Amino acid sequence: SSSSNAAPGSPGPGLPAGSGARAAAAAATVAALRNGVGADRDALISRNTGGMSFDFSPVDSRIYLAGTEDGHIHKCSTSYSEQYLESYSGHIGPVYGLQWSPFNPKLFISCSGDWTIRLWQEGRQQQLLSFQSSNEEVLDVQWCPNNSTVFGAVTAGGRLELWDFAVSTLQPVVQHALTKTSMTGLLFAKDAPVVIAANDAGGLQVFRLVNIAADRFEPAELQLIRLEEALRANVMGALSGAG
């Protein structure tokens, strides 16, 4: 009879050369992962975050905003798929909705599960203004297409809110509350003073706007002037209050 004692790392009988070394290396890798080695790789993968919302720039079809589940907003380009152009921080919950302003292509608005709505300016990483009226997740936000200082939002608690920051940044000018349902989306009509709200039961509700959009079919130049005046007054006021 004969016996064969293979040296560590050497192939067994009938195995190709080098296979023992590969098997040993694979076993070592498995053991290292079990012992926590390679956690950096796992952590890197876990830093990838899901997208929750996006909107393309009204003036450059290559540029878009992406809101993420960790609260960040990234300005991206279809020409540079592996890096962000800019990032905006402020939300501490998922960014469920965002939209560029139809009157000023450098402004955009966002809403989040952190109960807030925030107004941003392209190129500035901190928000210009923040709005909050309740302790409910805000699931969608949309600019009014006929009034440059008005936007609408809907909440998980069933509230439809219309804000005009030329009037107030503390409270919406209109609120409508439903019970036993969550508002999930809204859309303004472009050529009529109407807003449509959707709920999680699959229903739609249509509302007529009064004294908000019906009398605001102004030229774009006047809309932009009103928007800039409202921003100037509120942003300067917020900076003065902070000081």
Side-chain angles (χ1 to χ4, degrees):
S1 64
S2 63
S3 63
S4 175
N5 294 320
S10 65
L15 295 178
S19 62
R22 289 195 295 271
T29 300
V30 171
L33 290 174
R34 287 176 177 171
N35 292 328
V37 179
D40 289 344
R41 178 178 295 180
D42 290 344
L44 179 61
I45 293 173
S46 69
R47 291 192 190 104
N48 293 336
T49 183
M52 305 297 292
S53 54
F54 73 96
D55 192 35
F56 278 91
S57 166
V59 295
D60 189 340
S61 60
R62 299 168 299 174
I63 302 299
Y64 63 96
L65 297 169
T68 67
E69 62 183 349
D70 62 2
H72 297 296
I73 300 171
H74 302 297
K75 178 185 171 184
C76 308
S77 171
T78 57
S79 301
Y80 303 97
S81 60
E82 296 184 358
Q83 62 183 5
Y84 307 129
L85 302 181
E86 292 177 353
S87 292
Y88 306 89
S89 300
H91 285 300
I92 57 173
V95 181
Y96 289 123
L98 47 77
Q99 187 184 38
W100 296 92
S101 167
F103 297 97
N104 184 334
K106 292 185 176 297
L107 297 178
F108 60 94
I109 200 164
S110 63
C111 67
S112 171
D114 65 5
W115 314 337
T116 68
I117 303 162
R118 299 179 189 241
L119 179 61
W120 310 81
Q121 181 177 336
E122 188 178 17
R124 177 172 173 165
Q125 294 183 344
Q126 301 299 318
Q127 77 261 5
L128 295 175
L129 295 170
S130 180
F131 310 86
Q132 179 183 347
S133 68
S134 68
N135 296 340
E136 298 173 359
E137 290 185 301
V138 187
L139 300 184
D140 196 13
V141 65
Q142 292 281 308
W143 288 99
C144 175
N146 305 317
N147 189 326
S148 60
T149 60
V150 170
F151 61 86
V154 290
T155 73
R159 293 157 57 93
L160 168 65
E161 300 178 346
L162 300 180
W163 292 77
D164 186 347
F165 56 87
V167 176
S168 174
T169 60
L170 301 178
Q171 292 293 332
V173 293
V174 174
Q175 298 183 63
H176 178 77
L178 295 177
T179 58
K180 299 181 180 179
T181 188
S182 174
M183 290 286 199
T184 56
L186 80 159
L187 182 66
F188 285 93
K190 291 184 178 181
D191 301 319
V194 169
V195 63
I196 300 173
N199 61 52
D200 62 355
L204 296 174
Q205 289 187 296
V206 181
F207 300 89
R208 182 175 179 84
L209 306 177
V210 178
N211 297 326
I212 292 177
D215 57 347
R216 288 300 185 183
F217 288 91
E218 301 171 326
E221 295 80 6
L222 294 180
Q223 293 274 12
L224 183 58
I225 290 172
R226 288 197 307 105
L227 174 59
E228 292 176 344
E229 289 177 347
L231 280 176
R232 191 178 305 114
N234 286 295
V235 172
M236 292 302 295
L239 293 176
S240 300

